[in-house]
Amino acid sequence: MDQLRQIVKSGEPSTWDNAWRANVTPWDAGEFQPPLREVVESSDIDFARHGRALVPGCGMGYDAIYLASALNLKALGVDISETAIGRARANLVSINIPPPGEVSFETGDFFNFKPEEKFDVVYDYTFFVAIPPKRRVEWGQQMISLINSGGYLITLVWPIEPPSEVGPPFFVRVEHYQEVLGEAFEKVLDKVPETSLPRHVGKERIVVWKRV
């Protein structure tokens, strides 16, 4: 993570593109995260099988593509890095998504994102921990405004490591999400995934929140 922290400057979102151009992307596993599939394919939660999904900080787009394919949703991936979005679009060309699922990608700032329609599923993997902690309240307000009543926010909380003042990624615990989501969301799932990438074992939790 030291190399990433030398490139990405806290409070300067545009520097994330520098990390992508330098291929310093330690969060990118080259595939969607196994805990996402675990929670989507379980019978614990009745996710929408039509509607819209959003993945902020989508990177190469693996998770948006998975949500569109698995849940038949119109998925949108948003990232502040033009390089990441270019790679996500290139990645999408070789993938066949069963209709009615659809995927699109756009470059943009999550905090200034104002879509015409709300979303039924939003997935956050490493976006929350990438932003300066002082902006987490804004993150919570944006999630409240973006998700339909009855919709779900899926958070893969990683990396869960000892407290630290440096980042990104910044120190995180499940309660940090709860603090900024408040009473607008009900936590409906919180567990250690049964399936994790090797370097994630013991350092992550999958947590699902329902918009009330």
Side-chain angles (χ1 to χ4, degrees), residues 16-34:
W16 284 100
D17 195 60
N18 298 339
W20 278 100
R21 287 190 282 109
N23 292 315
V24 180
T25 55
W27 62 89
D28 181 17
E31 60 179 334
F32 62 84
Q33 291 293 318

Side-chain angles (χ1 to χ4, degrees), residues 72-89:
N72 300 320
L73 300 175
K74 294 182 178 180
L76 172 63
V78 176
D79 204 293
I80 202 160
S81 167
E82 292 184 2
T83 301
I85 292 299
R87 294 180 186 180
R89 288 172 175 162

